[in-house]
């Protein structure tokens, strides 16, 4: 397992700027801080051709600016900085390395080469998938220079685009592709970065190519191999988008065509101003196929305890498990209900028993010391296990137990585990030598039954002692704990494909909640106070139950 703790602490101090004491507002509307990158309109950004008589340093500096703007002009301006031979051989770059700040240009004494140096923030591959593996690493890259006539030109350009984060966020935008879950019951987001210019074309072509490796074995792509986008540009007229495919699309049956359309529509409807999408094959509208019957995931519903009973947090008069039923179990906490709001409800009793409740007679599904807080997925599996061991289990309503494989975990204790609402991803904390490491994983299933957590990616690297974690939405999560030996808790929020952000908490005795219907960062204390993050402020509100939590 990759260990990035020490480097990350330094990077967090430089890159993120830890916030001071958070302020708490106790009145006023709760407006989530979550913003939509998809709503940002394309920005105009153009490079300039090389200025006559440019020194080597100015030439390289101006070239980097034109390179960063290359997505707006197909790298035509950047190509003018190259020698004739280099210009013929150079392929338009598809990979992007994003730097934390300005790129330093150093010219050697002979003026025959330049060295570029910077601190890497993240990298983007040709499919738009972001990697944070080298975040905080020193980056050095060489560029060859030679004179063409009396003018300096670049003879060996870089293989990819190198640009500071501010320029990157002007030229690129993060969008979600959508693929179908293995059971066909929901759409799963796959975040990517694409140039703002022509983003609809990039989205469609990437969608057809398929999901990122991190979702391997988790989702299906109904744009089967052989289906191609045939138009050079996606046709747009106002709020309407028409996508032209080859004849292979027309060979899909009604059901797979319906899934393919659902993927395309959900992906493209995120573009500002788009509300209608159609698919064409061979010049003819192929329709929408049979609409999929996706399950409704209840982001709005909350549960909790009131007067000894497990109740609906939105309407405490709706009782899930009576106080009389729960009293038989001894101390009870950590209730959980599936994200579809179904009848399967569980609690942890005495810290060592996962118990199904709500049917009059409690049924013990699993026993073990110091059980993890349970998570119930949309397929009806309640996940738990001993927090002092590597054991991860899921139990369904019938009492069937699934042992979940973590072949990459090194047999260390799994202290925390939570699931995304769509059931495609898991957050897992592993304690190794008294230090916590948190990973984002893919949930692999067979016929709906969870069997393995795969494709781990280390996240929230600064948190060394995790106290609580949860998904804010299906691509954003929050991890609460202690960093760098500090006593005061720190909250790290991170979105897939973005760098983490560190913020202070409103008070120490809180846990992380799921994002709720507004998909905002939320915390709760045992007394039922909920703290919602809005801009740089925490808004406090009062839940109608104790130990509040959203479904899942």
């Amino acid at each position: 397992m990759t260990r990035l703790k020490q480097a990350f602490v330094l990077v967090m101090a430089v890159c993120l700027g830890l916030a001071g004491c958070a302020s708490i507002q106790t009145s006023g509307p709760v407006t989530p801080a979550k913003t939509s990158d998809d709503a940002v309109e394309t920005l105009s950004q153009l490079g300039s051709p090389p200025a006559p008589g440019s020194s080597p340093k100015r030439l390289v500096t101006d070239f980097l600016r034109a390179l960063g703007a290359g997505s707006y002009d197909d790298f035509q301006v950047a190509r003018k900085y190259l020698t004739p031979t280099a210009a013929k051989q150079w392929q338009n770059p598809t990979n992007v390395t994003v730097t934390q700040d300005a790129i330093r240009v150093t010219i050697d004494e002979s003026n025959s080469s330049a060295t570029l140096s910077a601190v890497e923030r993240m990298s983007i591959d040709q499919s738009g998938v972001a990697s944070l593996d080298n975040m905080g690493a020193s980056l050095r890259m060489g560029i060859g220079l030679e004179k063409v006539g009396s003018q300096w030109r670049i003879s060996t350009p870089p293989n990819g685009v190198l640009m500071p984060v501010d320029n990157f966020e002007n030229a690129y935008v993060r969008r979600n592709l959508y693929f179908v879950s293995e059971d066909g019951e929901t759409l799963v987001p796959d975040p990517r970065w694409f140039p703002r210019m022509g983003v609809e074309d990039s989205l469609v072509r990437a969608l057809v190519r398929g999901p990122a490796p991190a979702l391997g074995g988790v989702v299906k792509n109904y744009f089967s191999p052989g289906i191609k986008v045939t138009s050079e540009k996606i046709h747009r007229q106002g709020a309407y988008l028409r996508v032209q495919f080859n004849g292979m699309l027309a060979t899909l049956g009604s059901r797979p065509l319906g899934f393919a359309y659902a993927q395309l529509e959900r992906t493209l409807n995120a573009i500002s101003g788009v509300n209608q999408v159609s698919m064409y094959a061979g010049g003819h509208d192929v329709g929408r196929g049979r609409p999929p019957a996706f399950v409704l995931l209840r982001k709005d519903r909350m549960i909790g305890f009131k007067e000894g009973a497990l109740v609906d947090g939105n309407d405490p008069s709706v009782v899930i498990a009576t106080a009389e039923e729960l009293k038989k179990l001894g101390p009870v906490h950590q209730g959980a209900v599936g994200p579809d709001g179904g009848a399967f409800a569980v609690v942890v009793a005495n810290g060592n028993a996962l118990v199904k409740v709500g049917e009059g007679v409690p049924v013990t599904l699993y026993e073990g010391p110091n059980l993890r807080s349970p998570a119930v997925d949309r397929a009806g599996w309640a996940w738990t296990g001993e927090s002092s061991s590597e054991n991860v289990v899921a139990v369904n309503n019938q009492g069937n137990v699934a042992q979940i494989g973590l072949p990459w975990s090194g047999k260390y204790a799994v202290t925390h585990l939570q699931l995304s609402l769509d059931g495609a991803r898991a957050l897992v904390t592993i304690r190794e030598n008294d230090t916590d490491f948190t990973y984002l994983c893919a949930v692999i299933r067979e016929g709906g039954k969870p069997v393995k957590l795969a494709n781990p990616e280390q996240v929230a690297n600064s948190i060394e002692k995790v106290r609580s974690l949860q998904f804010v939405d299906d691509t954003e999560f929050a991890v609460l704990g202690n960093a760098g030996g500090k006593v005061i808790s720190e909250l790290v929020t991170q979105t897939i494909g973005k760098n983490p952000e560190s913020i202070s908490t409103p008070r120490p005795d809180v846990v992380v909640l799921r994002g709720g219907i507004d998909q905002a960062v939320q915390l709760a204390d045992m007394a039922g106070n909920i703290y919602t993050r809005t801009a740089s402020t925490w808004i406090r509100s009062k839940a109608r139950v104790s130990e509040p939590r959203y479904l899942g």
Side-chain angles (χ1 to χ4, degrees):
M1 292 186 287
T2 304
R3 299 293 179 247
L4 304 173
K5 294 291 183 181
Q6 293 180 344
F8 187 81
V9 171
L10 175 60
V11 172
M12 290 288 282
V14 174
C15 300
L16 305 177
L18 302 182
C21 295
S23 58
I24 304 176
Q25 219 172 300
T26 58
S27 62
V30 177
T31 306
K34 202 173 187 67
T35 59
S36 173
D37 286 336
D38 295 334
V40 180
E41 297 292 343
T42 300
L43 301 178
S44 176
Q45 180 172 314
L46 298 174
S48 301
S54 291
S55 66
K57 185 167 186 176
R58 178 177 175 184
L59 182 85
V60 174
T61 301
D62 290 348
F63 168 72
L64 291 174
R65 188 174 294 112
L67 187 63
S71 62
Y72 287 88
D73 59 22
D74 200 30
F75 297 93
Q76 293 182 28
V77 173
R79 197 173 295 274
K80 294 179 180 180
Y81 285 80
L82 309 184
T83 64
T85 300
K88 289 179 182 179
Q89 297 175 347
W90 190 56
Q91 301 293 319
N92 284 0
T94 54
N95 295 349
V96 181
T97 299
V98 183
T99 66
Q100 178 57 41
D101 44 29
I103 302 163
R104 183 180 178 184
V105 178
T106 305
I107 307 297
D108 74 348
E109 292 182 359
S110 65
N111 287 337
S112 63
S113 67
T115 300
L116 310 179
S117 54
V119 175
E120 183 171 330
R121 186 177 177 92
M122 64 179 173
S123 60
I124 313 296
D125 70 14
Q126 61 184 0
S127 299
V129 177
S131 171
L132 306 181
D133 288 348
N134 295 321
M135 185 179 70
S138 296
L139 178 70
R140 291 177 66 85
M141 184 181 299
I143 290 181
L145 298 167
E146 64 181 57
K147 274 194 171 182
V148 176
S150 62
Q151 304 297 318
W152 285 104
R153 291 295 182 263
I154 293 170
S155 57
T156 53
N159 292 325
V161 176
L162 188 66
M163 59 196 306
V165 61
D166 291 343
N167 294 357
F168 174 75
E169 291 176 349
N170 279 341
Y172 286 73
V173 64
R174 178 185 171 276
R175 297 280 173 85
N176 289 333
L177 307 179
Y178 285 90
F179 297 96
V180 182
S181 61
E182 279 289 333
D183 60 7
E185 293 195 346
T186 191
L187 290 171
V188 176
D190 182 0
R192 309 286 184 92
W193 285 96
F194 296 113
R196 291 181 187 273
M197 182 65 71
V199 66
E200 57 269 20
D201 298 284
S202 299
L203 284 166
V204 173
R205 285 173 171 77
L207 183 68
V208 170
R209 283 193 296 267
L215 288 176
V218 179
V219 296
K220 294 179 180 178
N221 184 18
Y222 280 85
F223 288 97
S224 57
I227 295 177
K228 307 292 182 185
V229 181
T230 57
S231 54
E232 184 177 344
K233 294 289 184 183
I234 305 301
H235 174 76
R236 178 170 184 174
Q237 185 174 357
Y240 169 72
L241 282 178
R242 184 179 71 210
V243 186
Q244 181 71 48
F245 298 92
N246 62 4
M248 283 289 294
L249 183 70
T251 66
L252 295 181
S254 179
R255 185 173 183 271
L257 185 66
F259 280 119
Y261 181 81
Q263 288 182 237
L264 184 69
E265 182 183 46
R266 183 69 180 275
T267 296
L268 291 179
N269 274 354
I271 298 176
S272 179
V274 172
N275 59 28
Q276 185 179 356
V277 176
S278 63
M279 301 190 301
Y280 276 64
H284 302 285
D285 190 338
V286 297
R288 303 185 176 192
R290 189 172 79 195
F294 292 136
V295 297
L296 175 64
L297 302 179
R298 298 291 305 273
K299 299 176 183 178
D300 60 322
R301 190 178 168 198
M302 183 176 281
I303 62 170
F305 294 95
K306 189 175 181 68
E307 297 175 355
L310 181 65
V311 300
D312 188 314
N314 303 72
D315 181 2
S317 66
V318 177
V319 176
I320 300 169
T322 65
E324 182 180 2
E325 178 184 354
L326 298 184
K327 188 176 181 180
K328 303 173 185 176
L329 302 175
V332 169
H333 60 106
Q334 299 173 346
V337 174
D340 60 351
F344 184 36
V346 296
V347 297
V348 172
N350 297 302
N352 59 17
L354 181 73
V355 182
K356 179 174 70 171
V357 296
E359 298 179 0
V361 179
V363 178
T364 299
L365 300 175
Y366 186 82
E367 291 182 285
N370 300 314
L371 293 183
R372 296 179 212 101
S373 177
V376 180
D377 66 25
R378 60 177 180 77
W381 292 88
W383 295 55
T384 187
E386 299 84 352
S387 60
S388 58
S389 80
E390 75 276 11
N391 190 33
V392 176
V393 300
V395 191
N396 66 7
N397 198 12
Q398 290 74 44
N400 299 314
V401 178
Q403 292 286 340
I404 312 299
L406 285 79
W408 47 270
S409 68
K411 301 297 183 180
Y412 292 104
V414 176
T415 58
H416 297 80
L417 188 150
Q418 290 295 333
L419 303 169
S420 60
L421 207 62
D422 58 22
R425 297 178 172 96
L427 275 175
V428 180
T429 298
I430 291 174
R431 180 157 295 167
E432 179 180 344
N433 300 326
D434 206 35
T435 300
D436 290 346
F437 301 90
T438 300
Y439 296 86
L440 180 69
C441 311
V443 179
I444 308 297
R445 300 173 186 268
E446 294 178 357
K449 176 184 175 181
V451 294
K452 183 171 64 174
L453 296 180
N455 311 330
E457 177 187 352
Q458 193 177 348
V459 296
N461 309 63
S462 67
I463 303 296
E464 298 173 344
K465 294 292 182 185
V466 175
R467 289 181 41 224
S468 174
L469 50 73
Q470 188 54 274
F471 283 88
V472 177
D473 61 25
D474 288 332
T475 64
E476 183 182 3
F477 45 89
V479 181
L480 176 68
N482 303 98
K486 296 179 181 178
V487 177
I488 299 175
S489 293
E490 181 178 305
L491 181 69
V492 170
T493 63
Q494 189 170 344
T495 300
I496 299 173
K498 284 190 172 183
N499 294 90
E501 297 182 5
S502 179
I503 52 181
S504 55
T505 60
R507 55 183 298 160
D509 57 337
V510 290
V511 295
V512 185
L513 293 181
R514 200 179 291 280
I517 193 167
D518 293 321
Q519 304 287 269
V521 177
Q522 295 189 47
L523 307 174
D525 61 26
M526 293 294 289
N529 292 306
I530 295 177
Y531 305 87
T532 302
R533 187 71 175 177
T534 169
S536 59
T537 302
W538 292 100
I539 301 287
R540 186 175 66 194
S541 57
K542 185 71 173 176
R544 303 174 71 182
V545 293
S546 61
E547 290 192 52
R549 64 179 292 174
Y550 289 96
L551 302 189

